[in-house]
Amino acid sequence: MIVPLALLSAAWTAHLAGVGPGSASAGGGTGTLPDGTSLPAEAVEAPASVSRSGVVAPGISGSSRAVVSSATPSDIPAAALVAYQRAEAVIASADEGCHLTWQLIAAIGRVESDHGRFGGNVLDDDGLARPGIYGVPLDGTRRTQEITDTDAGRYDLDSTYDRAVGPMQFIPSTWAVVGVDGDSDGKRDPQDIDDAALASAVYLCSGDEDLSGEAGQRAAVHRYNHSNDYVDLVLSIMTAYLDGDYLSVPDTTTTAAGVLLPEATLPADGAGRGRTDGGRTGRDGGDRDRGRTRDTDDRRDRGDRDTPPTAPPMPPSAPPAKDPTPPTEVPGDPPTTAPSDPPRVMPTDPPTLTVPSVGPVLTYAEAQARCTASGIPVTDVPALTACIDRLLDP
């Protein structure tokens, strides 16, 4: 049974003073996030999102079985993949006893907004959902619960009723409890996949559940959304992600500390869906290769045309007279006449010039992936920023 959300939200927003200084992680760890936020002292019971009657979540279209069967990490936009993995790394440092995986966070992101793509949205290079993800007004109609405004329209642009917002579909009152700055840009924005993913991790790890097992996962996800159908779907998608690969579609790529990804590689034909850049495709890669081939062929053609012709044959000497005068002396061996300019022998295949290869232009996400893969933790923002700047502007 779902408790009226307006009462839960107000009660827990007032009760969870543990989000401020003084809160600590019961399972070990720093208990503090990079932006200075402390983890909640108690489990957040107010749901992060709510399901409409008969609808599991807005990010799901079609049958749940089809969604699970098609779930693969290769369909996760790179900006979202980075955010999920960063959230896992950060929460693991702050709460060692939670054991939250990025695949569980990603499963929630898939169910809630199709990883930020619900309603025609896309994630930009900074991870912001554009133009913005806003749920329906929670006004009690259309099979919704009634939740009157709690944020004066600050996050959901609705000063009458609350709406779920952002890629992880947080209700504004719950966002006020767990909202964090996940990418150290100085803002806590539920439309930012970096902030929203880490806020989801904070929410799921706020209790004392061990999320390495199914029992803990079910309890935490049920707090997130009080629907058993929702829990079943999220855990099924999580399992599919755990069994899948680590590729992502291009959209902005990378990895977080402690998560292994394959080295970012360019497709052989210079095009393709992406790399973990999840990365950018090499738009000019194929042209560069073809350009070098044409240039080499042109040089070969010019070499063939520039080979000087052999010396023309000498004209025959004048015919002898009918009655030649016999020589008075026996001639010796006739002198050989060497040509003044002997022909030069040109090689048929001149040596091919070595053209230095030019790597693909890195995106911010690709540069970040390489830096974190080199061992720089995502929590060390200054070092990570300096590394990214060096890669983007060598």
Side-chain angles (χ1 to χ4, degrees):
M1 181 182 72
I2 298 178
V3 178
L5 198 56
L7 297 178
L8 268 177
S9 298
W12 277 97
T13 300
H15 172 69
L16 286 177
V19 173
S23 175
S25 169
T30 65
T32 305
L33 302 178
D35 67 349
T37 300
S38 296
L39 298 181
E42 300 182 40
V44 180
E45 297 292 348
S49 72
V50 293
S51 296
R52 296 166 59 188
S53 176
V55 179
V56 176
I60 299 301
S61 60
S63 70
S64 296
R65 179 176 299 178
V67 171
V68 174
S69 64
S70 62
T72 169
S74 63
D75 192 46
I76 301 176
L81 183 62
V82 172
Y84 302 147
Q85 294 175 335
R86 179 190 290 118
E88 176 191 340
V90 172
I91 203 68
S93 175
D95 185 353
E96 296 175 352
C98 182
H99 303 128
L100 174 65
T101 65
W102 69 260
Q103 287 90 346
L104 178 53
I105 306 172
I108 292 177
R110 172 64 182 92
V111 170
E112 291 293 355
S113 70
D114 191 14
H115 308 300
R117 294 176 291 200
F118 175 73
N121 277 263
V122 295
L123 299 177
D124 67 13
D125 289 342
D126 295 322
L128 287 173
R130 301 288 189 182
I133 304 175
Y134 302 94
V136 298
L138 299 175
D139 57 5
T141 66
R142 291 176 292 179
R143 297 173 295 175
T144 65
Q145 298 184 43
E146 181 177 352
I147 306 177
T148 55
D149 176 63
T150 61
D151 68 333
R154 176 183 178 186
Y155 297 115
D156 59 9
L157 308 182
D158 189 333
S159 58
T160 304
Y161 294 97
D162 269 352
R163 300 170 182 248
V165 291
M168 307 303 279
Q169 286 291 276
F170 274 100
I171 299 170
S173 56
T174 306
W175 176 260
V177 176
V178 298
V180 293
D181 179 6
D183 52 6
S184 301
D185 64 354
K187 294 178 287 187
R188 302 182 182 189
D189 187 350
Q191 299 289 352
D192 186 333
I193 187 65
D194 298 302
D195 297 354
L198 183 54
S200 294
V202 170
Y203 184 102
L204 294 169
C205 290
S206 65
D208 58 3
E209 300 96 352
D210 181 351
L211 272 60
S212 63
E214 183 177 353
Q217 294 162 0
R218 283 190 171 276
V221 176
H222 192 270
R223 285 190 291 108
Y224 199 96
N225 185 304
H226 297 170
S227 163
N228 290 326
D229 290 339
Y230 180 95
V231 174
D232 291 341
L233 181 56
V234 166
L235 296 189
S236 295
I237 294 175
M238 177 198 71
T239 300
Y241 287 160
L242 286 167
D243 293 339
D245 56 35
Y246 292 85
L247 298 177
S248 69
V249 298
D251 149 304
T252 44
T253 180
T254 110
T255 173
V259 180
L260 297 180
L261 286 178
E263 179 66 19
T265 55
L266 186 68
D269 60 357
R273 291 193 64 184
R275 63 178 191 180
T276 50
D277 56 50
R280 286 280 193 188
T281 58
R283 293 192 300 270
D284 299 331
D287 290 339
R288 292 193 186 102
D289 292 338
R290 290 193 296 271
R292 286 197 291 272
T293 301
R294 287 196 300 268
D295 186 57
T296 303
D297 292 340
D298 290 344
R299 286 198 298 273
R300 288 199 183 106
D301 293 342
R302 288 196 301 271
D304 292 340
R305 289 196 301 268
D306 293 343
T307 303
T310 57
M314 299 295 292
S317 59
K322 292 182 179 180
D323 298 320
T325 303
T328 57
E329 296 180 1
V330 179
D333 294 333
T336 59
T337 303
S340 58
D341 292 312
R344 291 177 295 169
V345 179
M346 297 294 290
T348 57
D349 291 312
T352 304
L353 296 177
T354 301
V355 180
S357 60
V358 179
V361 177
L362 294 178
T363 65
Y364 183 91
E366 289 173 327
Q368 186 180 47
R370 297 192 180 186
C371 291
T372 53
S374 69
I376 300 176
V378 293
T379 55
D380 189 352
V381 176
L384 186 60
T385 301
C387 176
I388 292 171
D389 289 343
R390 286 195 301 271
L391 290 177
L392 295 180
D393 188 16

